[in-house]
Amino acid sequence: MIVFPAIDLKDGEAVRLLKGEMNTATVFNSNPAAQAKEFEDAGFEFLHMVDLNGAFEGRPVNRAAVEKIVKTVSMPTQLGGGIRDIKTIEQWLDAGVTRVILGTVAVKNPELVMEACKKFPGKIVVGIDARGGMVATEGWAETSDLKATDLARKFEDAGVSAIVYTDIDRDGLLQGCNVESTANLARAISIPVIASGGVASVEDIKQLKLVEDAGIEGVICGRSIYDGRIDAKEALSIASGVIEAK
């Protein structure tokens, strides 16, 4: 199981939000590339990034910060936020991003996801952000009438590498990951699922590790790493099975 440290980019800085609200941003590092290097030096092997401004504006905004991060670290990276067309996907992959995450467009134009999977095999991740089990879009500003599991099933045979499942109601609040919902989604589909939202301690990583066989590929950790609630070495040991989850 992969532990993905998260760098959420707002105005070129690494921040964290509460429930996705832009006006709740806390700046954790004004140098995101240096933060990424810290994560790599701590032993993390895959970086998760979100262009927050891009998610709201529907186009890439924090390009300079992302490009600097990619040049600074050697570990693979995945990026979401404001990626709504094939050209933008291609630009990010050409810039060195390993995988792109499609969220809003997966709801509004699923055919584009299918096309992207064919054109860029192994490079496309779908981001499903849910509020009360219903999919949210446009940087979480809108909630649809589509169930998370129904959206995920649309991409069963498309070639999607993974699904990042975020419980918005818990995001940034350190209330614990919604392990049950994440595992239920993973069991309902054959695509690997990455858990996101609310991860508060290594206990969440242990609980996810226990249901890894449901199809859990990894877990994204944000605020809990920045404020020291999660120790990198312990988290990575649990995720890899060196420390047994009980």
Side-chain angles (χ1 to χ4, degrees):
M1 201 171 78
I2 303 166
V3 180
F4 297 82
I7 292 183
D8 288 1
L9 296 161
K10 179 177 183 280
D11 305 333
E13 299 179 310
V15 307
R16 296 304 295 168
L17 307 183
L18 301 178
K19 293 189 176 182
E21 301 288 343
M22 286 290 262
N23 61 2
T24 66
T26 301
V27 177
F28 279 102
N29 199 322
S30 57
N31 186 339
Q35 182 63 63
K37 189 72 175 77
E38 273 186 45
F39 285 147
E40 187 168 63
D41 291 346
F44 292 106
E45 297 179 347
F46 211 128
L47 181 67
H48 176 81
M49 300 181 288
V50 179
D51 180 352
L52 290 173
N53 302 98
F56 282 89
E57 295 187 28
R59 61 179 181 83
V61 176
N62 286 285
R63 182 176 295 278
V66 171
E67 288 179 349
K68 191 172 181 186
I69 289 169
V70 170
K71 287 174 183 171
T72 301
V73 297
S74 58
M75 63 177 160
T77 59
Q78 61 185 27
L79 171 73
I83 306 171
R84 309 280 166 87
D85 54 50
I86 293 291
K87 182 182 177 184
T88 305
I89 294 169
E90 197 158 20
Q91 287 173 343
W92 280 130
L93 295 175
D94 287 345
V97 173
T98 311
R99 306 197 300 199
V100 299
I101 304 166
L102 304 179
T104 293
V105 76
V107 179
K108 302 198 169 179
N109 186 4
E111 291 76 19
L112 185 136
V113 177
M114 315 283 189
E115 181 188 348
C117 287
K118 287 175 185 170
K119 191 165 185 180
F120 311 108
K123 300 290 186 179
I124 305 300
V125 173
V126 167
I128 298 181
D129 306 327
R131 184 182 283 116
M134 309 306 283
V135 177
T137 61
E138 306 293 346
W140 302 351
E142 299 177 11
T143 304
S144 72
D145 57 0
L146 187 63
K147 287 184 180 178
T149 46
D150 291 340
L151 177 60
R153 286 191 178 115
K154 285 188 180 183
F155 305 110
E156 271 287 29
D157 302 312
V160 171
S161 293
I163 284 176
V164 174
Y165 177 67
T166 304
D167 184 334
I168 299 170
D169 295 321
R170 300 191 184 211
D171 190 67
L173 297 180
L174 299 170
Q175 291 179 348
C177 179
N178 194 333
V179 176
E180 185 180 2
S181 290
T182 306
N184 286 343
L185 176 64
R187 291 188 187 103
I189 57 175
S190 59
I191 307 165
V193 173
I194 299 168
S196 173
V199 176
S201 69
V202 291
E203 189 58 36
D204 289 309
I205 297 173
K206 286 179 183 177
Q207 292 305 312
L208 286 163
K209 183 68 177 176
L210 290 172
V211 293
E212 182 182 14
D213 290 347
I216 308 292
E217 178 182 276
V219 55
I220 294 167
C221 300
R223 187 177 292 267
S224 54
I225 290 179
Y226 287 98
D227 68 11
R229 289 169 187 256
I230 286 181
D231 174 72
K233 188 175 180 182
E234 186 180 7
L236 291 165
S237 295
I238 293 165
S240 65
V242 173
I243 295 177
E244 187 178 351
K246 295 178 181 176

